[in-house]
């Protein structure tokens, strides 16, 4: 499977007044249900999914700085979260069962793990995140999802310092995960993403390098 990374800050610098390279019907559908920053984020997720153009399951997540898209031949879910730990601790009772935080898993990591699992299982936030558990510590190793709707799924969470990223996939053993960076580009009044060719060292490449800890390599 693969995890693709885009810097949304780079997109802001590039897109100007250009429109996303999407069919008019797709642009209109996104415009009807979103506005402002969320509209740009939704457009970016659709453009990246189109650029990846790979069969199978595709799932996207974003925070304020990055868009992350997971692609797999089997069901998968991804979540990237940059909310402050203190903010999530204040609402922990909404997504943590009693005693979970005493297991020393960061609230932000636990939130990301549960959201990625709910997305991979096709349930979303309506699933009730409090009921999702894991048979180990997903911040330390790939852990099986312990949930009636999540049988056969593994979850792993990575601490990237100022954010956590979680990946869930239907698998019996930890998957090989390839990471790839995409660069925003604009031409002819349209913006899109192309595979990055510039040297590593920018924030998107740093995130991709950190995500290689899921297990696999860069590509």
């Amino acid at each position: 499977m693969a995890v693709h990374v885009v810097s949304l800050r780079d997109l802001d610098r590039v897109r100007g007044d250009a429109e996303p390279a999407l069919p008019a019907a797709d642009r209109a559908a996104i415009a009807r249900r979103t506005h402002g920053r969320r509209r740009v984020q939704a457009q970016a997720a659709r453009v990246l999914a189109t650029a990846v153009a790979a069969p199978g399951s595709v799932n996207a997540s974003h925070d304020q700085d990055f868009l992350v898209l997971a692609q797999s031949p089997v069901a998968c879910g991804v979540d990237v979260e940059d909310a402050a730990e203190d903010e999530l601790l204040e609402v922990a009772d909404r997504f943590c069962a009693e005693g979970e935080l005493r297991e020393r898993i960061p609230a932000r990591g636990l939130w990301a793990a549960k959201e990625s699992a709910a997305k991979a299982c096709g349930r979303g936030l309506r699933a009730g995140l409090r009921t999702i558990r894991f048979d180990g510590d997903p911040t330390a190793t790939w852990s099986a999802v312990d949930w009636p709707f999540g049988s056969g799924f593994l979850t792993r969470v990575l601490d990237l310092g100022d954010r956590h990223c979680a990946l869930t996939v239907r698998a019996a053993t930890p998957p090989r995960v390839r990471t790839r960076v995409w660069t925003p580009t604009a031409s002819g009044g349209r913006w899109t993403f192309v595979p990055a060719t510039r040297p590593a060292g920018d924030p998107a490449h740093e995130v991709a390098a950190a995500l290689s800890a899921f297990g696999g390599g860069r590509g």
Side-chain angles (χ1 to χ4, degrees):
M1 69 180 301
V3 176
H4 305 269
V5 181
V6 167
S7 167
L8 294 175
R9 302 297 183 187
D10 285 352
L11 175 59
D12 289 339
R13 287 190 285 269
V14 167
R15 64 186 179 88
D17 295 327
E19 292 287 337
L22 293 170
D26 286 357
R27 297 199 304 272
I30 292 171
R32 284 194 296 270
R33 68 174 188 268
T34 60
H35 59 87
R37 184 68 176 168
R38 290 189 178 275
R39 179 174 298 172
V40 175
Q41 292 165 337
Q43 291 170 339
R46 185 70 62 83
V47 170
L48 183 57
T50 301
V52 169
S57 174
V58 173
N59 188 251
S61 179
H62 58 75
D63 58 20
Q64 293 301 309
D65 296 322
F66 297 101
L67 167 67
V68 178
L69 183 143
Q71 179 274 323
S72 172
V74 295
C76 66
V78 66
D79 188 58
V80 60
E81 182 59 63
D82 62 356
E85 181 76 3
D86 288 348
E87 293 177 5
L88 288 172
L89 285 172
E90 290 178 1
V91 296
D93 60 336
R94 300 180 188 176
F95 64 92
C96 294
E98 185 176 355
E100 272 192 295
L101 288 180
R102 289 198 295 271
E103 296 168 5
R104 298 187 178 181
I105 300 176
R108 186 169 63 192
L110 193 58
W111 170 275
K114 292 189 174 198
E115 185 160 342
S116 74
K119 292 167 73 176
C121 300
R123 306 290 294 184
L125 292 181
R126 71 182 184 278
L129 298 187
R130 284 175 55 91
T131 64
I132 300 175
R133 302 295 292 264
F134 304 94
D135 73 350
D137 178 358
T139 65
T141 187
W142 285 93
S143 300
V145 178
D146 181 8
W147 190 44
F149 305 107
S151 177
F153 286 86
L154 296 176
T155 298
R156 179 78 166 93
V157 187
L158 298 179
D159 184 348
L160 308 183
D162 52 0
R163 55 183 44 83
H164 281 78
C165 185
L167 187 62
T168 297
V169 61
R170 184 184 290 279
T173 58
R176 179 174 174 80
V177 182
R178 176 175 58 87
T179 62
R180 189 172 197 179
V181 177
W182 294 74
T183 298
T185 182
S187 178
R190 293 286 185 268
W191 59 262
T192 188
F193 302 120
V194 298
T197 57
R198 62 187 177 185
D202 61 285
H205 278 89
E206 292 175 357
V207 167
L211 294 181
S212 66
F214 278 131
R218 303 280 295 280

